[in-house]
Amino acid sequence: MHENTCPSCQHPLSWKENGYYCDHCRHPVQKRAFCPDCEQELETLNACGSASYFCPQCNELKSKSRVRICFELT
């Protein structure tokens, strides 16, 4: 199964103009990450080609494997 899929049609998303886009629905899609402990939206920290997630509520980094990711049409 493709990891980054459209929340509306479940087709794979493409990367266009610094964001995700569904070619099938023709809509931009926003990727959001939430803390597994407090459900607060996480800040994404990009460095050296990888992403880390920081929770401002818990005041700590969160493991990528525990983070809840959702995609929303914008």
Side-chain angles (χ1 to χ4, degrees):
M1 185 170 141
H2 195 276
E3 183 179 310
N4 300 326
T5 57
C6 175
S8 179
C9 70
Q10 306 307 310
H11 280 82
L13 298 173
S14 58
W15 186 261
K16 293 185 180 176
E17 299 178 20
N18 297 318
Y20 288 100
Y21 187 81
C22 180
D23 294 315
H24 187 261
C25 294
R26 298 183 182 178
H27 282 285
V29 178
Q30 180 182 17
K31 181 178 180 178
R32 298 177 66 196
F34 295 91
C35 178
D37 300 318
C38 71
E39 288 298 315
Q40 176 81 19
E41 187 166 3
L42 300 173
E43 296 174 12
T44 303
L45 308 171
N46 293 308
C48 301
S50 69
S52 297
Y53 297 98
F54 179 77
C55 179
Q57 180 72 28
C58 299
N59 197 32
E60 62 186 19
L61 287 172
K62 297 297 176 173
S63 169
K64 185 178 182 178
S65 63
R66 293 185 60 224
V67 169
R68 183 175 63 86
I69 301 290
C70 72
F71 291 91
E72 298 175 348
L73 296 177
T74 56

